[in-house]
Amino acid sequence: MTMHVLHGGRDGLGSPSPLARLAPSRWDMVALPLVLGLLALLVFGGHEVAQPLSQLERTPITLDPWTLPYYALRTTLRMLAALGASLLFTLVYAPLAVKSQRAGQILIPALDILQSVPVLTYLSFTVTFFLGLFPGQVVGAELASIFAIFTSQAWNMTFSFYQSLRTVPSDLEEVCTGYHFSTWQRFWRLEVPFAIPGLVWNMMMSMSGGWFFVVAAEAVTVGSTTITLPGVGAYLALAIEQRDLGAIGWVILTMLGVILLYDQLLFRPLVAWADRFRADTVQAEERPTSWVLTMVERSTLFRTLGRPAGGAARATLRWRLPALPRLSAPRLSPRAVRMGDYVWQGALAVMALYVAVHGIQFMATGVTWGDVGHVVLLGLATMVRVVVLIVLAAVIWVPIGVMVGMRPRLAAIVQPLAQFLAAFPSNLFFPVAVAAIVHWTLNPDIWLSPLMILGTQWYILFNVVAGSQAYPVDLRDVIANLRLRGWRKWRDALLPGVFPHLVTGAITASGGAWNASIVAEAVSWGDTHVQARGLGAYIAQMTTDADFPRLVLGNVVMVCFVVLFNRLVWRPLYAYAERRLRVS
């Protein structure tokens, strides 16, 4: 006869009894009100989204500081919805581009184009569609705003995931082959975990980058009518229009509070959790921590709620989905494969030619050859600014990013500060820039340029930090044992280790700088306007004038500059990092 002795909530085998597992812990005193509070905010925000558009006319934007908590809630919900959509897009788009060579021939150039199309352009062509889905309802305008924020968040996350998938260590791939993992299992057990540290830091950058364009995203224009959604961006736009420095100060305090909240509740737990997926054979002495992650792991409430989801996830990871059937039974010869590639590339060329012809026909209705030459010169001016600013940002932030990434305690301090600085809209510097340029009669072509990089330089920092945190501990020990110092340490060890992440950060920072040029090359403070010569200012002016042929011309030229620069500079560096600087 076997007898179990219950003692201290445990049975005779030393494992917790069912009643003990259901007993609340001290962490539940924090978890329960936190969960209930977040649910109440979600319900309240969702109820406001379901209102008719006439409700916005009855409650116009006001600069009363007491409205800022409500505006902050609406803006944060939009940004979180856009972040969720960006994550889903990333998990689908990047693997397709990596796994299929022919799909990659379309998807990667398309990604270059998508990141170079300005947010204002997306708004110009998508607002009518979303409002038509829900006529007379706020939700249509909300979806248009969320989509605009999505276009400022998704591309760097996709580039990061794509780069991680291309640089998975070969020894880990061999382990998956040895275990006979299916493509589905390899994706979720190897590729996603390997990419998580970099993806989390790019999610933080995406969330911060969304603040940069939230002013434009919360003002939805249909014809001559502008629908202004309640939010921090709309509040900031009104404060700038009325030159209210006090209201701008309240915006800064609100942004700081919101960033600290979602840093503690979302991103710091994610960073601590992502540290478990480091591709290391040696455990780091210092690891990031989070009280929220500890609460989730030790709270009975979260364990009970998460048990069904955890069981479903583990069952999903055991799936061995069959491979797709081959479409052709006979094995193709190398010559037939080459012919198939030629046919595929020819089809792509025909599609590109079709789009180009129709685009040219549309632009020909209001564009002359003189306009084309003028816009190309403006594009060259903006390109020079972008290149100079990216180089300067890399020189400044790469050493800082490596130092922060290799010191978890320092990263815990810098993380919320970097998020706040990355989220700080360049619009708030407009008063300083305009006043300084007007007072000292400075050249706007030079002194407006820093506004282009204020929000996008952080792509470099965040990616370098992610690369430094993923740097294997055993390689750090090798550096210490070899006593590498100074430039030799950077040249032979640190720069090669973070170079793939640096290239990813530079690509997204470059695309972001082109996008930011629309805001930074034409700034206003009240009735005072200052404008630099560049493609961004041209697109902003054509958007204001609703001159669609010239607006399309400006966007086409910007896309051409970004794609050509990516093809000639960034892609070769990407290939070099993948070929020569792969950890294995």
Side-chain angles (χ1 to χ4, degrees), residues 49-244:
V49 169
Q51 298 296 320
L53 278 176
S54 57
Q55 179 68 23
L56 298 179
E57 299 176 0
R58 291 194 294 268
T59 56
I61 301 298
T62 172
L63 294 184
D64 183 0
W66 291 106
T67 61
L68 275 172
Y70 169 66
Y71 291 163
L73 172 64
R74 295 291 295 273
T75 296
T76 303
L77 290 178
R78 290 183 197 112
M79 295 176 67
L80 289 174
L83 189 67
S86 300
L87 181 59
L88 180 62
F89 176 86
T90 296
L91 293 176
V92 174
Y93 195 99
L96 286 175
V98 173
K99 304 297 181 181
S100 172
Q101 181 180 0
R102 290 181 178 175
Q105 292 174 350
I106 297 177
L107 297 179
I108 296 305
L111 194 60
D112 291 335
I113 294 172
L114 289 171
Q115 75 152 346
S116 60
V117 175
V119 172
L120 291 178
T121 302
Y122 285 115
L123 275 173
S124 301
F125 293 100
T126 59
V127 167
T128 304
F129 169 75
F130 285 110
L131 289 178
L133 289 178
F134 301 93
Q137 298 293 317
V138 173
V139 65
E142 289 282 354
L143 289 175
S145 177
I146 290 171
F147 182 80
I149 298 172
F150 164 85
T151 62
S152 69
Q153 292 182 341
W155 321 133
N156 65 295
M157 291 170 58
T158 307
F159 273 119
S160 171
F161 195 47
Y162 174 81
Q163 176 261 328
S164 296
L165 294 180
R166 295 295 296 264
T167 56
V168 174
S170 56
D171 52 351
L172 296 181
E173 292 182 340
E174 292 171 1
V175 170
C176 289
T177 302
Y179 279 105
H180 303 288
F181 281 175
S182 65
T183 303
W184 175 262
Q185 291 172 318
R186 181 189 296 262
F187 179 71
W188 289 108
R189 290 182 178 270
L190 170 62
E191 294 168 346
V192 171
F194 178 77
I196 278 177
L199 184 58
V200 167
W201 278 89
N202 273 278
M203 287 172 64
M204 282 192 284
M205 183 62 234
S206 291
M207 191 70 173
S208 296
W211 288 98
F212 189 82
F213 293 103
V214 78
V215 173
E218 290 180 350
V220 179
T221 301
V222 184
S224 58
T225 304
T226 298
I227 302 171
T228 303
L229 296 170
V232 175
Y235 185 98
L236 175 60
L238 183 61
I240 292 175
E241 181 183 343
Q242 297 186 6
R243 306 179 70 160
D244 191 331

Side-chain angles (χ1 to χ4, degrees), residues 3 8 48 101 117 167 211 227 235 309 331 345 351 365-366 392 395 407 413 456 485 494 497 514:
M3 182 171 60
E48 294 298 307
Q101 181 180 0
V117 175
T167 56
W211 288 98
I227 302 171
Y235 185 98
R331 185 179 180 84
Q345 292 169 3
M351 288 190 294
T365 59
L392 290 176
V395 170
R407 294 170 175 82
I413 300 173
T456 61
R485 298 289 186 272
L494 297 181
W514 279 96

Side-chain angles (χ1 to χ4, degrees), residues 238-515:
L238 183 61
I240 292 175
E241 181 183 343
Q242 297 186 6
R243 306 179 70 160
D244 191 331
L245 292 176
I248 291 177
W250 285 114
V251 168
I252 295 174
L253 289 176
T254 302
M255 287 178 56
L256 177 61
V258 171
I259 291 170
L260 288 175
L261 278 175
Y262 68 62
D263 172 70
Q264 289 292 318
L265 298 179
L266 178 62
F267 288 122
R268 187 158 298 193
L270 283 176
V271 169
W273 174 73
D275 187 69
R276 302 173 182 181
F277 300 98
R278 290 164 52 101
D280 263 341
T281 57
V282 181
Q283 182 172 322
E285 296 181 1
E286 296 183 10
R287 304 186 65 179
T289 59
S290 165
W291 66 270
V292 173
L293 183 62
T294 302
M295 176 190 68
V296 170
E297 293 174 338
R298 298 182 182 180
S299 165
T300 303
L301 174 65
F302 280 105
R303 283 203 305 269
T304 304
L305 294 176
R307 191 170 292 119
R314 285 189 292 272
T316 302
L317 290 177
R318 289 193 291 269
W319 288 355
R320 301 188 65 86
L321 300 180
L324 294 176
R326 293 184 180 275
L327 298 179
S328 56
R331 185 179 180 84
L332 298 176
S333 64
R335 181 179 180 182
V337 172
R338 286 196 299 271
M339 287 300 297
D341 290 338
Y342 292 149
V343 171
W344 174 250
Q345 292 169 3
L348 294 182
V350 169
M351 288 190 294
L353 182 62
Y354 176 82
V355 173
V357 168
H358 281 73
I360 291 172
Q361 289 176 346
F362 177 74
M363 288 186 289
T365 59
V367 173
T368 65
W369 284 109
D371 292 326
V372 174
H374 174 64
V375 173
V376 170
L377 291 177
L378 293 178
L380 287 172
T382 300
M383 187 184 71
V384 170
R385 294 189 185 104
V386 170
V387 172
V388 171
L389 292 170
I390 293 298
V391 171
L392 290 176
V395 170
I396 294 171
W397 292 115
V398 168
I400 296 175
V402 171
M403 180 178 63
V404 171
M406 291 191 172
R407 294 170 175 82
R409 292 182 182 175
L410 179 60
I413 300 173
V414 172
Q415 180 181 321
L417 177 62
Q419 286 187 72
F420 175 70
L421 293 175
F424 203 83
S426 65
N427 314 60
L428 299 181
F429 291 99
F430 287 2
V432 178
V434 171
I437 290 172
V438 171
H439 183 268
W440 285 293
T441 54
L442 302 174
N443 186 351
D445 294 334
I446 296 175
W447 295 101
L448 287 181
S449 298
L451 298 179
M452 293 171 55
I453 201 67
L454 286 177
T456 61
Q457 61 184 327
W458 310 106
Y459 288 112
I460 295 176
L461 174 64
F462 278 56
N463 277 278
V464 171
V465 169
S468 302
Q469 289 189 336
Y471 200 87
V473 176
D474 48 358
L475 292 185
R476 301 185 197 181
D477 295 337
V478 170
I479 295 172
N481 292 334
L482 293 178
R483 297 182 180 179
L484 295 180
R485 298 289 186 272
W487 170 242
R488 187 182 176 190
K489 176 181 177 181
W490 280 94
R491 183 194 63 191
D492 297 340
L494 297 181
L495 280 179
V498 302
F499 188 76
H501 297 267
L502 171 60
V503 174
T504 301
I507 291 175
T508 51
S510 174
W514 279 96
N515 227 319

